[in-house]
């Protein structure tokens, strides 16, 4: 069965510092890969997705993620965080035959210090 | 930007009661979904719906659950006889298609069963 692991439950970063959120997945073949963000009281917003091609994908709000097949990872990065980036971030995968049946990781809550 | 809207934002019900959670997907979307997140746990897929029928459902989606698109705009999730363990945040989502079409999530309905 497919699974998604986000090893960090909480991360605290200073405003302006870089951010990297880890995501590892377990799946028989390369799935579709996603990062979602959830701000307090809000729904899940898609940051970026990987389907195929260039393994470095750019998303909204200055985020990027790199797919590494050899490590079964899809880590999310942002060079300089803003206070508004404080939120919970979810990595998700979906099989290519059912691209919208998502399996989510447990989430990483990001706190931004001034 | 078009949004998925969910009502109510919070629903409290007694065990054994029926609840209906309502969603208005994005108007030109064809695929509809329900996910849920029990407090402290991962977001889980419940069901997908297309062309007025369920296209896929998870093990969680047992006979107590049903979905319906009663008119051209609403998409509902009904729980016939709620249990304490049904307490969760329920997210509705919609997409224009499968595979490359991303899911758009609503802000969720927090269901509390007492």
């Amino acid at each position: 069965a497919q699974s998604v692991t986000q090893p960090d439950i909480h991360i605290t970063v200073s405003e302006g510092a870089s951010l990297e959120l880890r995501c590892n997945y377990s799946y028989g073949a390369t799935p579709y890969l996603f990062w979602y963000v959830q701000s307090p009281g809000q729904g899940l917003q898609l940051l970026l997705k990987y389907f195929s091609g260039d393994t470095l994908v750019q998303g909204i709000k200055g985020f990027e993620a790199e797919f590494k097949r050899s490590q079964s990872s899809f880590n999310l990065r942002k060079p300089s965080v803003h206070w508004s980036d404080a939120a919970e971030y979810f990595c998700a995968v979906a099989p290519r035959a059912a691209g919208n049946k998502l399996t989510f990781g447990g989430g990483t809550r990001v706190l931004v210090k001034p | 930007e078009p949004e998925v809207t969910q009502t109510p934002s919070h629903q409290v019900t007694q065990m054994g009661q029926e609840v209906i959670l309502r969603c208005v997907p994005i108007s030109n979307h064809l695929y509809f979904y329900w996910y849920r997140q029990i407090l402290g746990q991962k977001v889980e897929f419940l069901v997908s719906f297309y062309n007025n029928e369920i296209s896929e459902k998870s093990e969680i989606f047992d006979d107590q659950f049903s979905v319906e698109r009663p008119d051209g705009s609403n998409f509902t999730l009904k729980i016939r006889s709620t249990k304490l363990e049904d307490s969760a945040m329920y997210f509705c989502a919609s997409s224009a298609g499968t595979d490359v079409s991303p899911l758009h999530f609503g802000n969720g309905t927090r269901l509390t069963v007492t």
Side-chain angles (χ1 to χ4, degrees), chain B:
Chain B
E1 185 177 326
E3 291 182 341
V4 175
T5 57
Q6 291 186 243
T7 55
S9 57
H10 193 186
Q11 173 96 42
V12 181
T13 189
Q14 289 189 327
M15 196 167 50
Q17 295 297 304
E18 174 184 285
V19 294
I20 298 176
L21 309 184
R22 304 181 188 279
C23 170
V24 179
I26 294 173
S27 62
N28 63 343
H29 284 185
L30 300 175
Y31 296 80
F32 314 110
Y33 310 83
W34 284 99
Y35 284 76
R36 78 171 186 189
Q37 184 181 28
I38 294 172
L39 189 63
Q41 298 186 22
K42 296 183 178 183
V43 178
E44 304 169 288
F45 169 80
L46 290 179
V47 66
S48 58
F49 189 87
Y50 169 71
N51 200 26
N52 281 319
E53 60 183 29
I54 291 173
S55 45
E56 192 161 3
K57 60 183 181 180
S58 72
E59 296 172 348
I60 303 165
F61 195 88
D62 61 23
D63 292 343
Q64 291 299 308
F65 291 89
S66 62
V67 289
E68 191 177 31
R69 189 155 162 80
D71 52 43
S73 59
N74 290 286
F75 179 52
T76 62
L77 174 69
K78 182 193 289 187
I79 309 175
R80 287 189 184 82
S81 179
T82 50
K83 302 188 281 284
L84 293 177
E85 55 264 37
D86 294 327
S87 295
M89 180 72 88
Y90 287 81
F91 292 104
C92 174
S94 68
S95 69
T98 56
D99 281 11
V100 298
S101 301
L103 263 65
H104 294 257
F105 284 86
N107 288 351
T109 293
R110 180 166 297 286
L111 176 66
T112 302
V113 182
T114 61

Side-chain angles (χ1 to χ4, degrees), chain A residues 9-76:
Chain A
I9 298 174
H10 291 102
I11 284 182
T12 300
V13 293
S14 298
E15 192 168 14
S18 64
L19 175 67
E20 182 166 12
L21 304 182
R22 297 182 289 165
C23 173
N24 293 95
Y25 66 90
S26 173
Y27 193 67
T30 300
Y32 295 144
L33 297 155
F34 307 83
W35 275 99
Y36 282 84
V37 61
Q38 185 180 29
S39 299
Q42 303 294 311
L44 296 159
Q45 182 183 23
L46 179 68
L47 283 176
L48 48 76
K49 59 187 183 292
Y50 173 78
F51 289 162
S52 64
D54 192 347
T55 56
L56 184 64
V57 293
Q58 303 297 319
I60 62 172
K61 304 186 181 191
F63 284 92
E64 67 179 24
E66 186 171 13
F67 167 58
K68 292 187 177 180
R69 186 190 307 272
S70 61
Q71 297 176 21
S72 296
S73 69
F74 189 56
N75 294 348
L76 181 72

